[in-house]
Amino acid sequence: MGIRDRLASHDARFISFSDLMTAIAEEEGVTVKEVARAWSLEGVFKTLKPVLREHRDGAFFEGGDDALYHALQSALGGGNAWGGDSAQLELSIGEPGFFRENATEALILAGWPIPARLVEPTTSSVAEPPPIMPVRSELLSYVPRVNIALDDAAMILGDAHSGSAQGKWRDALVDAVDAGQIQAGTWSMDRGEQPLSHADIRAWCKACGITWPVPPPGKIEPDAGPGDSKLRAELHRARARIVELERERAELLKKIDATAAAAEATGIKSPTLQRIIEAVGHYPAWRATKPQEPNLKSVLDWQENQQREKGNGSRVAHVAHHVIAEHFGLKS
C-alpha cells in the first residue's frame, strides 16, 4: 500500500460532526438545525464516543466531549454558541467527530437513516487519488505516444469536437507548429505524417481552452461497456443490502441483550417471577396445539389451570397472561 493509500485509508475512518449533520440533513431534506435538535432530543450522543482529529497531522484522539457539545450548541443556534475554556482548548487541538463505523451503528440503533456519505466517503482531507479521465477505446493506443502524426492529431480533435472538419484542425496545428508553439519533426512527401510532440499538443490545447481527449498515462478509464450499468446497479443493491444487514444486526443485538436480561432475571430469588418466566417459555408449545391464535381469555384460562393449587395462583396467572400477550403481540 502506497503512502497516499495509507493516508486515504486513515482519513476515511473519520467523519466530523458538522459533516455528519450536513449529510443527514441532505438525506432527509431538512435543515442542519432540525437535525441537531432531533439529535439532542433523542440523546444520540449517549451511544457515541467522540473523537478529535488533530489539526496538525490528522491524528485521532479519543475525547472531545466539550468540543462536541459546543458544536451541537452551535448547530442549534445557527452558528452561534458560547464555549467554555475546555471546549476552546479542545477545538484548538482538533476537530470533533466520530469514527464512521461507530456513527453508523449508533444511527442504526436509534432508527435513523444512514446517509450515503457516511457509508461511502466521497472526499479525503489529506490526499485524494488522482482524477480518472474516461477515454474512448480507439484512443488508448495514443496514450503512451511521445509523438503523434499531424493528421492523426487533427482527426482526434475533429472527432472530439462534434465532428468538426479535420482540415480546419490540420490548418490550426500547422499554424501552431510554424509559430513554434508545438515542437515537430520533419516529414517527407506528406506533411500529415509530420510527428508532433504529444506533450506540446496537450499544452497548446490547454492554453487555448481546447479539450484534448487523450489522457496522460495512469489516468485512464476505458469506455463503459454495455454491462457496466448492470454492475453499478448490482453495486447499489449490494450497498443497500449492507445497510439492511446492519439494521438486522442491530435488532439481533437488542434481542441478545433482552435475552441476557431475562437470563439475569432468572437469577432473582423469586419463585413467583420464575413461574411467570416459565409460563412465557411454555406458551409456544401450548400455542402449537391450537388451530388458531388464542384470545386473551383462553390464555388466562390456560394459565389459571397451570397455576392452580400453587401459591397466589390466580394472581400469577393474571400477570403471566398479560406478559405473554405483550411479548407475543396478542390482541384482545
Side-chain angles (χ1 to χ4, degrees):
M1 181 184 292
I3 289 177
R4 285 186 173 178
D5 292 333
R6 291 176 185 276
L7 291 173
S9 177
H10 171 86
D11 295 338
R13 295 183 59 202
F14 177 88
I15 184 168
S16 69
F17 173 77
S18 60
D19 284 349
L20 180 58
M21 293 291 101
T22 301
I24 295 173
E26 291 174 352
E27 191 84 10
E28 288 282 282
V30 298
T31 65
V32 171
K33 185 175 182 179
E34 289 173 309
V35 176
R37 183 166 178 259
W39 182 286
S40 179
L41 290 173
E42 298 187 18
V44 183
F45 271 136
K46 297 177 181 178
T47 60
L48 266 173
K49 292 183 178 180
V51 178
L52 281 178
R53 177 171 60 184
E54 190 179 23
H55 296 308
R56 180 172 55 86
D57 60 5
F60 302 135
F61 297 94
E62 288 190 6
D65 299 81
D66 293 329
L68 198 57
Y69 180 75
H70 178 270
L72 176 61
Q73 295 306 310
S74 180
L76 288 170
N80 298 316
W82 179 85
D85 292 341
S86 57
Q88 295 302 323
L89 176 61
E90 289 177 349
L91 289 170
S92 68
I93 294 173
E95 182 179 22
F98 315 100
F99 289 130
R100 288 179 184 272
E101 61 268 23
N102 295 341
T104 300
E105 185 172 347
L107 292 178
I108 290 172
L109 289 172
W112 285 40
I114 310 301
R117 194 193 304 180
L118 177 60
V119 179
E120 183 180 337
T122 56
T123 59
S124 171
S125 61
V126 175
E128 296 183 357
I132 301 297
M133 180 185 296
V135 58
R136 302 195 309 273
S137 56
E138 66 269 21
L139 296 180
L140 285 173
S141 62
Y142 291 99
V143 172
R145 297 281 292 274
V146 177
N147 296 299
I148 297 178
L150 189 149
D151 276 354
D152 287 347
M155 176 195 67
I156 292 171
L157 287 169
D159 291 344
H161 295 276
S162 304
S164 301
Q166 179 178 335
K168 293 182 179 180
W169 285 110
R170 188 179 193 274
D171 293 341
L173 289 167
V174 167
D175 181 69
V177 170
D178 292 345
Q181 296 175 338
I182 297 177
Q183 296 298 314
T186 59
W187 74 97
S188 54
M189 300 294 294
D190 183 2
R191 185 163 187 180
E193 298 176 355
Q194 184 180 19
L196 276 56
S197 165
H198 191 174
D200 283 2
I201 295 174
R202 188 186 312 284
W204 174 73
C205 286
K206 183 177 180 179
C208 297
I210 299 168
T211 299
W212 176 248
V214 182
K219 298 184 180 180
I220 63 171
E221 180 179 286
D223 273 348
D228 279 12
S229 59
K230 293 182 178 179
L231 290 175
R232 282 193 293 270
E234 289 287 344
L235 180 60
H236 179 75
R237 284 193 290 271
R239 287 171 178 161
R241 180 57 179 156
I242 288 172
V243 174
E244 183 181 348
L245 288 172
E246 286 290 344
R247 291 195 183 99
E248 292 177 4
R249 173 176 173 270
E251 290 299 322
L252 287 173
L253 288 174
K254 288 182 180 178
K255 291 181 180 179
I256 290 172
D257 291 340
T259 303
E264 290 178 5
T266 61
I268 298 175
K269 302 303 181 182
S270 169
T272 301
L273 178 59
Q274 184 62 40
R275 283 158 59 188
I276 293 173
I277 293 173
E278 289 175 355
V280 176
H282 293 162
Y283 173 79
W286 178 76
R287 167 67 181 86
T289 65
K290 306 300 177 184
Q292 60 187 15
E293 182 177 281
N295 58 32
L296 295 187
K297 178 63 169 60
S298 61
V299 175
L300 179 58
D301 291 343
W302 165 62
Q303 269 305 296
E304 286 182 341
N305 182 60
Q306 292 290 309
Q307 304 295 340
R308 188 173 291 121
E309 299 180 356
K310 298 179 182 179
N312 296 322
S314 296
R315 184 179 300 173
V316 173
H318 179 76
V319 174
H321 101 280
H322 277 295
V323 173
I324 289 170
E326 292 174 0
H327 184 73
F328 293 98
L330 303 183
K331 296 179 180 179
S332 59

